Amino acid sequence: MQFGAGALIVGSAGAGPKLRDQQEQSDAKLLEQAESLFQRALAIDDPRTSGARDEYGTALSVENGARIDVQFARGPYVAIAVRVALGAEQDPAELHGRSALLANLTASACAGMGPESLRDELAQLGATLEPRAAAESYGLIMRAPVEQWQAALDLALRCARTPSRDASHFAPAALRLQARLASDGGAFGLRARIANQIAPRAPGMVAPWGDSGRLGNLSPRDLAEAFRSSEVGVRWSVAVVGAVPVEDATARIARRISDLPPGALPKAAEPGQPPAAAYAAPSSESLETRTLLATWDVRGVYPHRLGAAVFASAMHAVLALTPGGEVAWQDADVYTIGAYAALQLRVGPEALARIAALLRESAGRLGDEAREEAVRLARKIADKSA
C-alpha cells in the first residue's frame, strides 16, 4: 500500500521568517473570525433568554435586549404584534409622519413582496395585517386563524425585519397614509395642528400618524436610514396571544430576532416650548368660518385623560349654547409633556365677538398664567371680528 501527501506553500521570492509570522497572524485572525461566526450561529439556533415563563405564558428578554411576550388564550384566532421603539416622537419636525409611513410600508410591501403579492399571501393564510403608529413606537399587528400561527408569525417577523426598499412601493404607501389622514372628518389634520403648537420640535408626541402637509418632505432614503437605526435588539418587542404552544412560539421568535445587535434605546424627544395660544388658518380655510380653541397644561392640572376630556366636554357645553356657533369636533389627551383639550367651531362673523366675550368672562375663573393665555386668545378673536 502506498501513501502520498502534498502541501501547498504560499509565498514569494525570498520568503522568510518575517513572512511566515505575518501568515501565522493572518491564519490566527481567520480562525478567530470563524470561531466567532460559529458561536453566533449556535446562539441564533438556541438563543439565551431570561425572564418569567410557565405553561400559559412567557415574558422574556433575549441577550440582545429584545422582548418576547407569549400568552395562551383559547379562541379561533391568533394575534401577533411587532413593536419597534422608533416612534413618532423621534420624527424630525420637518419629517413629521416618518414612523407612520415606515409602518405603512412595513405592512404593505415587505419580505420581498410587493403589495399584490403580500395581499395574496395574506389571503391564503386568511390573515389581516395592519400598521401601528404611536408616539413611542411603530410596528404592525397581524390576525390569523390559529391553525396558521406558524406561517403567520414567520410572515409578520419577515415583514417587520425586511420592509421594502423599492422606490416604486414608497408612493403607494404614502398615498395610503394620506388617505388615512384625510379620513375621520379631518380629525387627524386638526391633531397635527395642535401638535405643532404643543410640541413644535417633536409633533409626533401628540400626532403619531403624522402631518399630511409634511409627508411630501419624506423620501425612500429617509425611511431606509430610520429603519437602519432601529435594527438593534433593545428596540424590538414581539407579542403573541392565542391558542399556540407557548414554548414553541417563544423559541421561534427568539431565533428570528436574536441576530440583532444589542444597541441602545432612542434618546427622549424634546418637545420644545409651546408658543402663545394661537391658530394660523391655512389659505384654504377661512378663520371666519372655522375657529380652533385649544388649551394645554404642563403643570399637572389634568393628571389623566379623563380630566382633559371632562374639560373639553365642559367647553363644548358652554360654547354650544353660544348663538351663531356650532362645535364641529373636540379632542383631549394626556402625554408626557402635559395635557390638552381642543374644540373646533363653525362660526359666522357675527358670532366671533360673542366667542371673544365668553373667553374674557371665563378667564376670570382661571389662574394667572391661564388667564393671560385666555385673554391673549380673546383679543386675537376680537381683532378678527373688528
Side-chain angles (χ1 to χ4, degrees):
M1 183 178 293
Q2 295 182 337
F3 292 88
L8 174 63
I9 301 175
V10 180
S12 59
K18 183 176 180 180
L19 185 59
R20 284 197 298 273
D21 290 344
Q22 292 176 349
Q23 186 66 41
E24 289 174 358
Q25 292 175 5
S26 177
D27 290 345
K29 188 173 183 180
L30 288 172
L31 286 172
E32 183 180 344
Q33 291 175 348
E35 177 66 18
S36 176
L37 289 173
F38 181 70
Q39 293 299 331
R40 184 179 178 186
L42 287 177
I44 292 173
D45 185 61
D46 187 19
R48 296 178 182 175
T49 57
S50 60
R53 64 201 314 155
D54 59 34
E55 58 182 318
Y56 297 107
T58 57
L60 306 174
S61 293
V62 187
E63 278 190 312
N64 60 8
R67 291 173 296 281
I68 301 173
D69 190 344
V70 179
Q71 298 296 322
F72 182 89
R74 297 191 184 280
Y77 293 97
V78 60
I80 302 161
V82 182
R83 184 174 70 89
V84 184
L86 184 73
E89 65 183 10
Q90 299 297 323
D91 291 355
E94 68 278 8
L95 300 179
H96 184 198
R98 182 185 65 180
S99 67
L101 184 51
L102 184 54
N104 271 264
L105 185 63
T106 301
S108 62
C110 56
M113 293 180 283
E116 291 185 5
S117 298
L118 181 59
R119 281 196 294 270
D120 291 343
E121 183 83 6
L122 291 169
Q124 290 179 9
L125 294 176
T128 59
L129 182 62
E130 296 292 335
R132 178 188 183 277
E136 75 286 352
S137 65
Y138 82 89
L140 55 83
I141 297 177
M142 179 176 284
R143 181 174 180 266
V146 70
E147 61 270 15
Q148 298 283 2
W149 76 267
Q150 293 165 309
L153 178 57
D154 289 347
L155 180 58
L157 290 172
R158 284 164 52 211
C159 279
R161 292 293 306 270
T162 55
S164 175
R165 302 193 181 191
D166 188 334
S168 66
H169 297 152
F170 175 83
L175 288 174
R176 277 189 290 273
L177 181 54
Q178 286 279 18
R180 178 188 286 266
L181 293 174
S183 65
D184 200 17
F188 283 109
L190 289 171
R191 184 181 286 268
R193 293 175 193 167
I194 294 170
N196 290 328
Q197 289 289 315
I198 299 175
R201 292 184 186 173
M205 299 179 85
V206 177
W209 284 102
D211 184 343
S212 60
R214 295 178 180 177
L215 288 183
N217 299 336
L218 287 157
S219 69
R221 178 177 293 182
D222 294 322
L223 295 194
E225 291 177 354
F227 181 74
R228 277 195 295 271
S229 70
S230 74
E231 288 186 293
V232 292
V234 72
R235 297 194 185 193
W236 284 66
S237 299
V238 182
V240 177
V241 178
V244 301
V246 171
E247 285 297 336
D248 288 353
T250 300
R252 199 177 193 90
I253 297 168
R255 285 195 297 270
R256 283 157 177 75
I257 60 176
S258 62
D259 63 316
L260 290 166
L265 289 171
K267 295 181 180 179
E270 171 53 52
Q273 185 66 29
Y279 172 58
S283 57
S284 60
E285 184 175 304
S286 169
L287 186 61
E288 280 69 31
T289 57
R290 294 271 182 149
T291 301
L292 180 67
L293 306 180
T295 179
W296 45 86
D297 162 55
V298 295
R299 297 177 299 278
V301 175
Y302 315 133
H304 46 71
R305 192 180 190 281
L306 178 61
V310 168
F311 182 77
S313 296
M315 291 173 66
H316 187 162
V318 172
L319 292 169
L321 297 176
T322 304
E326 176 189 356
V327 178
W329 172 88
Q330 76 177 63
D331 191 29
D333 217 335
V334 172
Y335 297 88
T336 55
I337 59 172
Y340 79 87
L343 296 93
Q344 186 192 44
L345 307 176
R346 295 190 184 96
V347 296
E350 72 284 354
L352 288 173
R354 287 194 289 271
I355 294 293
L358 176 63
L359 288 173
R360 280 194 294 268
E361 179 183 348
S362 299
R365 306 189 187 99
L366 302 175
D368 292 339
E369 294 181 20
R371 184 183 302 117
E372 292 175 5
E373 181 178 306
V375 169
R376 283 196 298 269
L377 181 56
R379 287 173 179 167
K380 287 179 182 291
I381 294 177
D383 291 342
K384 291 290 183 180
S385 65

